[in-house]
Amino acid sequence: MINQVAKIVLASAIISLAPVSASAQDDAVIRLTDTCLMHEMRATPSPANGSVEAARKVSFQWPLSADCPYVDAHKASRKDKTLLRYKLRYSTDKDMKNDVVEVETRWPMFNPDSDLAAGTWYWQHGYVVPDDGSVIWSPVFSFTVENADGKFLPPAYKEIRAKVPAAHPRVYVDGSTLDAFRTRNAGSIDAEMYLAEAEKLLTTPMKSPADIKSDMAAKFDNEMKRDQMITRESRRVIDREEQSLDILVRAYILSQDARFADEAIKRAGYMLEWVGDKNIAGDFNYATFLSVFTTVYDMLNDRLDAGMKGRLEDAIRTSGAAMYKGFNNRLENHIADNHVWQMTLRIFTMGAFTMLDHLPEAEEWAEYAYNVWLSRFPGLNTDGAWHNGDSYFAVNFRTLIEVPYFYSRISGFDFFSDPWYHANALYTHYAQPLGSHASGQGSAHVDKVKPHATRAGYMDAIAKMTGDLVAADYTRGFIGKNPKAILRGATGKSSGLEWFRLQCDRQLPEGQALASLPMGYIFPESGLAVFNTNNERASRSARLTFRSSPYGSTSHALANQNSFNTYYAGKPIFYSSGHHTSFTDTHSLLCERSARAHNTILVDGMGQRIGVEGYGWIPRYYVGEKIGYVLGDASNAYGPVTSSLWQDRAKKAEVALTPENGWDEVGLKTFRRHIIELGKTGMSVIYDELEADQPRTWSYLLHTVLNPMDVDRTNPAFVRVTGKTDVAKSDAFIFSTLELTCDTTSTFFAPADNWLKADANGNFAKNPDHWHFSATTPKSKVCRFITIINSYPNPKEGRTAPVPQVLKDGSIKLGRWNIKANITTEGAPSFIVKNTTPEENVRVEYDGEITTVIEDGNEYELIDDLPTLEI
């Protein structure tokens, strides 16, 4: 059966547990006053007070103590974390006197061995004072446990530990089934690739740290740029050799050809000498060495002499200890430590389980790795989306598949039964459908023109492990008639899943699913919304993506609250601009991360905060057969950058977070953006309600990245902006009762210099220009825009695209749709969007408080609903 996706997604109930700092207006509109909804480090306990736990086994998590502050991953810890201890107690007795379970932990998390019985539970955590052993207890929190069908109930660590095989290989492949493994994969395209690449490596000289072009960093005065350049050049060499050794080892497992094993052991011996080399830079290196050495230790164990085993064990102890020191009492609380979640936790996990029974430290490492996975992974939230944006989502593929596959194989429990994987299959499709550009909601999005083979490989893995038909249909659509299409990047460090395919002997489930998906999908915890007119064929699909996210713009997420992108035939038209040269350089901060780079609003020329403080959220939404609707609220997103983390990063990048660069207090009271998707017409209506504490200018932004825009002001009722590709266009008809001053430019606010990304020969490609449009009002406390977007294929010769007509009653007609809205600065915000076809009864109404959706005689009232968030 197809993955069950509701045809109507409805948020219609008043929330029962609003944040302390939220206030309700007429029980329909929630006004948040929280500084942030999410935190860089956990600030709230979980389970939250009053919460209901129904989908999965309870995991207790709590914030670090005040005297153990957040430490950036690149800095040494200011506290000896091995001394930290916590107490936890829980009971069904609210007075915590009877039947109390009390435990001591080394980390701010605890996973009970078995699920708690249904009913109301009470719990509290305590910080153990190192000097005298006294405990500082938290308040008592309550939560309710419910039993639901398909509840995710993974085993306790002690059950996992008891099933770890004694012999090697045991982690990267099951040594007890090697004969069957080789027989099954003989002649497969994946096995043949490994063998062919390994043959090449036998005659390819290794590179060494001496080949790292460290001199390329010498030209920079800025320390941040020097560090990023040397790290990039270091990884170019080190990651290549890691991949080469990995291929040799796996080719040996497949073929038993001793040449591959001998070459791998020889290369590992060389790499043992690289540890500590001054040319090797970057926070991935401990993980790289751990990956290399534990791969050899596990897969070639019977070919290693005692001396080589000892050398590997010493190096693994050093790398593993350094990684564990950085993880424990930090990672458990971190909103999303990019590199760790992407790959280093996976490498650490595999290394820890490899070294069980060989290194005493590995016992603690493995227990930690397993429990932090249960507590935080795989998704960090439950809606299935990746808040960092779709570009960097791909860097997590191997972690998201290989870790649960390993745990499933040794335990017999299906870790892919976590419902997150079905939700994530939907996200993977909607964020980048077959044949389409990515959704543009995170850094480095511009270059993601089409889905990569590794994306199809990831969907292939989900389909095989879960039976998800969306993932299976996506995979088959990508491969088409060319089975080798899936091989590109298949052995990659972060996303290549070729080895998984060799281990997994399941077939893709049969059945088509993409055609029956709804035209839109909302991911409220991550703050994403997507609408496609055709889920099967990007070549025939108009598409709109939208972001208003509780995560704000930290990590790889951007300051693009209440922004949208449009596409047709898979190509971006009105689309977020800017280039991702590095995480924090001048252009990245001012022209890719900044709100000025996105299709949103500037207030008095100022943009949105960088950090979790610059947040938005999605209060209400609806997806039906004939109409879709989503509301984003970015009322709290604007102002000066107050995050100390981002202030420090900007300082190192020598970027001033000043009004001149786009950050200042603007007294914003309201920015709520309503988007009404007019069925599968390719047309959308956008209604913006804006208010400030005093008169401000309001700048409506649009950007294109492929071609210049055309701006037409000949009709006094609206400004028409047209973006175009070679095959399609998007028209934006912008209506306002305030006079609009329009400007277009192809010049970035800060030059898009590519100072970092050189090719192997040291050549730096030039970043192309993008185009930027703004329509700015005179100063006004209240501003309202209504915009009609129409995305369509280039009209045939002699035809033109439809243009809105303003009728005598002030309403707007476009095709079979009528739009009436209050865009004056007086009265309550409101609109009515309806289909005028006599036999249709489809419309969306908003009266400033409640949104009413009517479709096929069914009526739904939507009011604000805050998604459940826990960090």
Side-chain angles (χ1 to χ4, degrees):
M1 289 181 62
I2 186 172
N3 185 30
Q4 293 300 309
V5 181
K7 295 296 182 183
I8 295 177
V9 184
L10 183 61
S12 60
I14 301 173
I15 64 169
S16 59
L17 289 167
V20 173
S21 53
S23 61
Q25 176 180 310
D26 298 323
D27 293 331
V29 177
I30 297 174
R31 304 292 187 185
L32 298 177
T33 55
D34 302 72
T35 301
C36 54
L37 294 181
M38 305 293 285
H39 302 81
E40 292 286 351
M41 296 293 284
R42 177 178 293 283
T44 55
S46 179
N49 194 41
S51 64
V52 176
E53 307 295 315
R56 57 196 308 127
K57 187 165 75 173
V58 169
S59 175
F60 294 102
Q61 301 169 66
W62 54 92
L64 294 169
S65 61
D67 64 345
C68 188
Y70 167 72
V71 178
D72 190 275
H74 304 287
K75 296 179 181 178
S77 175
R78 296 187 291 271
K79 191 175 185 68
D80 184 356
K81 294 185 288 185
T82 63
L83 300 178
L84 294 176
R85 294 292 184 272
Y86 307 92
K87 293 277 191 178
L88 168 74
R89 55 192 182 194
Y90 54 96
S91 174
T92 56
D93 177 10
K94 65 180 179 180
D95 296 321
M96 302 292 283
K97 294 180 178 179
N98 299 309
D99 300 320
V100 177
V101 178
E102 184 168 319
V103 296
E104 182 174 284
T105 79
R106 291 162 286 185
W107 312 300
M109 63 177 178
F110 178 75
N111 297 303
D113 288 349
S114 58
D115 193 29
L116 304 186
T120 301
W121 287 80
Y122 303 88
W123 76 285
Q124 63 183 154
H125 59 86
Y127 303 100
V128 179
V129 179
D131 294 338
D132 59 13
S134 61
V135 181
I136 303 171
W137 287 102
S138 73
V140 174
F141 310 108
S142 69
F143 62 95
T144 300
V145 174
E146 293 182 352
N147 291 324
D149 292 340
K151 194 172 187 179
F152 184 65
L153 301 172
Y157 172 73
K158 63 184 181 182
E159 297 178 52
I160 295 285
R161 178 65 181 95
K163 294 182 178 181
V164 175
H168 294 276
R170 65 189 184 199
V171 172
Y172 294 99
V173 68
D174 183 356
S176 67
T177 62
L178 279 181
D179 289 341
F181 172 77
R182 294 182 182 115
T183 300
R184 185 177 72 249
N185 289 300
S188 72
I189 59 173
D190 293 298
E192 291 301 315
M193 172 176 271
Y194 271 115
L195 297 176
E197 292 299 312
E199 285 287 352
K200 295 177 187 177
L201 288 169
L202 292 178
T203 58
T204 303
M206 281 186 77
K207 289 189 176 294
S208 76
D211 295 302
I212 297 171
K213 298 176 181 179
S214 56
D215 58 327
M216 292 181 67
K219 62 183 179 180
F220 297 117
D221 295 330
N222 180 274
E223 183 180 356
M224 178 274 293
K225 286 189 173 182
R226 287 197 301 270
D227 289 346
Q228 292 197 33
M229 177 62 79
I230 191 61
T231 296
R232 181 177 174 83
E233 292 305 309
S234 174
R235 289 193 63 190
R236 189 195 301 279
V237 171
I238 305 306
D239 286 1
R240 169 187 150 168
E241 296 309 322
E242 176 190 11
Q243 184 181 35
S244 296
L245 188 141
D246 198 67
I247 289 171
L248 288 165
V249 169
R250 294 169 198 252
Y252 168 72
I253 292 294
L254 286 164
S255 67
Q256 293 186 287
D257 188 328
R259 296 177 302 150
F260 300 144
D262 293 344
E263 180 68 15
I265 293 170
K266 181 179 72 174
R267 291 183 177 220
Y270 291 148
M271 294 183 78
L272 283 165
E273 303 298 325
W274 297 358
V275 179
D277 189 287
K278 63 180 178 62
N279 284 337
I280 299 175
D283 64 326
F284 278 117
N285 291 319
Y286 280 124
T288 300
F289 288 130
L290 188 72
S291 175
V292 167
F293 301 146
T294 56
T295 297
V296 171
Y297 197 96
D298 185 46
M299 304 256 261
L300 304 181
N301 195 273
D302 62 344
R303 301 187 65 87
L304 302 174
D305 60 33
M308 186 61 172
K309 282 186 179 179
R311 293 177 67 200
L312 289 171
E313 287 169 1
D314 288 342
I316 291 167
R317 179 184 291 110
T318 299
S319 294
M323 293 175 71
Y324 178 62
K325 180 181 179 181
F327 293 166
N328 92 87
N329 280 280
R330 187 181 67 86
L331 178 61
E332 313 92 314
N333 270 226
H334 202 291
I335 187 174
D337 192 330
N338 294 332
H339 293 174
V340 179
W341 298 130
Q342 288 166 0
M343 65 186 83
T344 61
L345 178 63
R346 165 178 54 83
I347 292 167
F348 178 76
T349 298
M350 302 309 197
F353 279 89
T354 293
M355 302 314 296
L356 288 174
D357 303 321
H358 303 295
L359 293 180
E361 303 95 317
E363 295 289 346
E364 186 168 343
W365 299 349
E367 184 179 1
Y368 175 82
Y370 181 73
N371 279 291
V372 80
W373 180 274
L374 294 192
S375 296
R376 297 295 314 284
F377 241 54
L380 306 180
N381 57 47
T382 61
D383 65 12
W386 206 259
H387 82 275
N388 260 330
D390 196 57
S391 175
Y392 273 84
F393 171 54
V395 191
N396 300 268
F397 286 164
R398 282 186 65 184
T399 295
L400 290 171
I401 298 300
E402 291 183 5
V403 173
Y405 185 75
F406 167 67
Y407 287 147
S408 297
R409 175 169 61 79
I410 64 171
S411 70
F413 176 82
D414 182 9
F415 281 79
F416 290 94
S417 64
D418 188 323
W420 183 85
Y421 280 97
H422 284 295
N424 183 249
L426 289 169
Y427 167 74
T428 305
H429 158 68
Y430 278 103
Q432 193 171 22
L434 292 171
S436 177
H437 199 288
S439 59
Q441 305 298 351
S443 57
H445 57 81
V446 169
D447 299 330
K448 302 303 180 284
V449 176
K450 293 285 178 67
H452 194 274
T454 55
R455 191 180 194 87
Y458 176 69
M459 289 290 254
D460 170 78
I462 290 180
K464 288 174 178 175
M465 296 310 299
T466 69
D468 190 286
L469 294 187
V470 170
D473 206 0
Y474 190 102
T475 305
R476 278 190 292 268
F478 183 90
I479 294 173
K481 297 180 180 180
N482 178 17
K484 293 186 177 181
I486 205 168
L487 293 181
R488 186 183 174 201
T491 61
K493 180 185 181 83
S494 61
S495 54
L497 286 167
E498 190 164 33
W499 191 249
F500 164 81
R501 288 196 294 274
L502 289 166
Q503 293 184 83
C504 178
D505 60 356
R506 301 184 185 183
Q507 299 298 311
L508 275 178
E510 293 296 327
Q512 296 183 332
L514 293 178
S516 59
L517 288 179
M519 68 175 183
Y521 207 85
I522 316 299
F523 303 90
E525 292 176 4
S526 302
L528 303 173
V530 182
F531 294 96
N532 301 321
T533 61
N534 190 317
N535 278 301
E536 290 183 284
R537 296 178 178 85
S539 61
R540 301 179 184 177
S541 183
R543 172 169 160 80
L544 182 143
T545 63
F546 176 74
R547 180 174 189 264
S548 196
S549 176
Y551 284 86
S553 63
T554 196
S555 192
H556 283 290
L558 306 173
N560 62 342
Q561 311 305 332
N562 277 8
S563 72
F564 66 89
N565 294 321
T566 70
Y567 315 70
Y568 196 91
K571 296 186 178 183
I573 306 181
F574 292 128
Y575 189 77
S576 292
S577 64
H579 298 281
H580 187 71
T581 299
S582 76
F583 191 64
T584 51
D585 65 5
T586 301
H587 180 82
S588 172
L589 286 171
L590 299 182
C591 301
E592 187 203 30
R593 186 175 292 271
S594 166
R596 69 164 56 87
H598 309 288
N599 300 321
T600 186
I601 303 287
L602 299 183
V603 185
D604 262 357
M606 301 295 111
Q608 300 168 6
R609 292 183 176 92
I610 294 178
V612 292
E613 299 83 3
Y615 68 89
W617 64 297
I618 293 178
R620 42 182 100 164
Y621 53 91
Y622 173 95
V623 178
E625 294 284 349
K626 299 177 181 178
I627 201 159
Y629 168 78
V630 63
L631 166 63
D633 191 327
S635 304
N636 302 83
Y638 291 74
V641 178
T642 56
S643 165
S644 59
L645 177 66
W646 282 98
Q647 287 174 344
D648 182 57
R649 287 171 174 168
K651 182 178 180 180
K652 290 177 179 177
E654 299 179 357
V655 175
L657 301 174
T658 59
E660 291 74 19
N661 282 334
W663 290 281
D664 200 5
E665 186 57 64
V666 293
L668 182 65
K669 296 171 67 176
T670 302
F671 176 17
R672 284 163 73 94
R673 172 166 272 183
H674 307 252
I675 296 183
I676 305 96
E677 194 72 6
L678 305 184
K680 297 181 180 180
T681 64
M683 295 188 292
S684 310
V685 176
I686 301 175
Y687 182 76
D688 294 315
E689 47 177 312
L690 298 146
E691 184 177 359
D693 60 349
Q694 59 181 280
R696 307 280 183 178
T697 62
W698 309 90
S699 297
Y700 191 108
L701 304 184
L702 292 171
H703 307 269
T704 57
V705 298
L706 297 179
N707 294 296
M709 290 172 277
D710 296 327
V711 179
D712 181 355
R713 303 207 62 178
T714 56
N715 191 316
F718 52 76
V719 177
R720 178 179 183 174
V721 185
T722 302
K724 53 192 182 249
T725 71
D726 57 336
V727 297
K729 296 178 180 179
S730 273
D731 285 326
F733 301 95
I734 305 169
F735 294 79
S736 173
T737 58
L738 298 170
E739 182 180 354
L740 298 178
T741 301
C742 297
D743 180 67
T744 56
T745 179
S746 62
T747 302
F748 283 113
F749 186 81
D753 295 332
N754 175 18
W755 55 270
L756 177 64
K757 296 181 179 179
D759 63 18
N761 297 317
N763 300 315
F764 294 83
K766 184 179 179 181
N767 286 321
D769 291 331
H770 295 159
W771 293 269
H772 318 279
F773 164 85
S774 64
T776 302
T777 72
K779 287 186 178 294
S780 176
K781 287 183 68 174
V782 173
C783 176
R784 290 157 189 160
F785 295 106
I786 196 158
T787 307
I788 299 173
I789 301 283
N790 185 20
S791 300
Y792 54 92
N794 289 337
K796 294 180 180 179
E797 186 175 351
R799 296 188 177 184
T800 59
V803 174
Q805 297 176 272
V806 179
L807 305 181
K808 291 182 179 180
D809 65 355
S811 66
I812 303 165
K813 180 180 184 297
L814 184 64
R816 295 183 176 183
W817 293 88
N818 182 273
I819 303 106
K820 189 167 187 177
N822 179 12
I823 56 173
T824 73
T825 59
E826 303 295 331
S830 62
F831 62 78
I832 300 174
V833 178
K834 63 182 180 180
N835 191 316
T836 60
T837 307
E839 63 270 20
E840 295 285 359
N841 185 14
V842 178
R843 60 180 173 172
V844 178
E845 299 182 9
Y846 173 65
D847 62 5
E849 297 175 5
I850 295 172
T851 304
T852 302
V853 180
I854 298 174
E855 182 176 13
D856 291 336
N858 298 311
E859 182 173 322
Y860 309 92
E861 287 192 347
L862 311 183
I863 61 176
D864 289 359
D865 184 9
L866 189 68
T868 300
L869 307 167
E870 72 161 282
I871 287 289

